[in-house]
């Protein structure tokens, strides 16, 4: 039986063909390699599914499991994300929007924190935003220092 990967990267997608190659390339460029990718297309009307299919061999050649699914009809974002998560086998899960990119060391750095602090259940990082032309926008970090926040306190922030 195949060993389960440590991380499952779930990519629920709907009509993001224009961003998908960069998203998938950013996953292929990760310095940490113990992961799988689950891509689920939500009945897109663009060529998202075909783009994902064209990447399947690239992932498999690097030894990275890459599952692709397509819904026969649009089930909505929440249900599509649930279906992605249901197929995941990893200890940790990343829900990655198909219009997002990962820095090359993202998985390595977040896994290091999760493994070093077993009671931590979620890692947040600063993100850079880009505009429609691809220019990086300056944004203020949500948290200034690196820190561990008790779940109840973080839940209160999410509820705002």
């Amino acid at each position: 039986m195949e060993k389960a990967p440590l991380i499952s990267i779930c990519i629920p997608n709907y009509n993001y063909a224009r961003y998908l190659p960069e998203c998938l390339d950013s996953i292929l460029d990760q310095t940490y390699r113990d992961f799988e990718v689950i891509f689920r297309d939500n009945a897109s009307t663009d060529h998202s599914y075909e783009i994902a299919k064209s990447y399947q061999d690239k992932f498999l050649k690097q030894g990275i499991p890459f599952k692709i699914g397509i819904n026969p009809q649009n089930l909505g974002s929440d249900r599509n994300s649930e279906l992605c998560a249901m197929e995941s086998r990893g200890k940790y899960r990343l829900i990655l929007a198909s219009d997002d990119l990962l820095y090359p060391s993202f998985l390595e750095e977040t896994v290091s924190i999760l493994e070093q602090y077993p009671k931590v259940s979620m890692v947040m990082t600063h993100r850079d935003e880009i505009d429609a032309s691809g220019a990086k926008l300056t944004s203020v970090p949500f948290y200034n220092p690196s820190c561990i926040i008790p779940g109840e306190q973080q839940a209160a922030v999410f509820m705002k």
Side-chain angles (χ1 to χ4, degrees):
M1 184 170 178
E2 185 181 335
K3 175 184 150 306
L6 191 60
I7 305 168
S8 294
I9 301 175
C10 299
I11 308 171
N13 178 79
Y14 179 70
N15 282 348
Y16 275 146
R18 66 187 175 276
Y19 304 110
L20 199 49
E22 287 182 279
C23 174
L24 296 173
D25 285 339
S26 78
I27 297 169
L28 284 168
D29 290 341
Q30 289 301 298
T31 56
Y32 187 87
R33 307 306 283 179
D34 188 9
F35 64 90
E36 68 179 350
V37 178
I38 299 104
F39 176 89
R40 178 161 284 287
D41 190 75
N42 205 11
S44 292
T45 57
D46 63 10
H47 55 285
S48 294
Y49 182 76
E50 290 77 15
I51 291 171
K53 286 292 280 184
S54 76
Y55 272 79
Q56 195 163 31
D57 283 344
K58 292 178 185 180
F59 279 93
L60 296 178
K61 283 179 184 172
Q62 292 192 27
I64 300 166
F66 188 75
K67 299 178 194 173
I68 301 174
I70 187 168
N71 301 329
Q73 63 192 32
N74 188 320
L75 303 176
S77 178
D78 289 345
R79 183 65 181 142
N80 195 38
S81 294
E82 287 173 16
L83 290 172
C84 267
M86 287 171 51
E87 292 186 53
S88 67
R89 302 175 303 131
K91 178 179 177 181
Y92 304 117
R93 184 180 307 138
L94 168 63
I95 305 292
L96 182 64
S98 45
D99 64 341
D100 288 346
L101 309 175
L102 300 176
Y103 281 108
S105 62
F106 176 83
L107 294 179
E108 183 178 355
E109 292 178 29
T110 55
V111 164
S112 173
I113 292 166
L114 289 165
E115 292 289 291
Q116 185 177 356
Y117 300 99
K119 290 187 178 185
V120 167
S121 60
M122 183 178 83
V123 175
M124 290 176 54
T125 64
H126 177 67
R127 66 179 187 183
D128 292 324
E129 295 183 27
I130 56 172
D131 64 19
S133 65
K136 191 186 288 189
L137 306 173
T138 302
S139 60
V140 177
F142 192 77
Y143 293 107
N144 286 330
S146 293
C147 57
I148 295 178
I149 300 170
E152 305 80 34
Q153 290 176 6
Q154 186 59 39
V157 171
F158 284 150
M159 298 303 289
K160 288 184 181 179

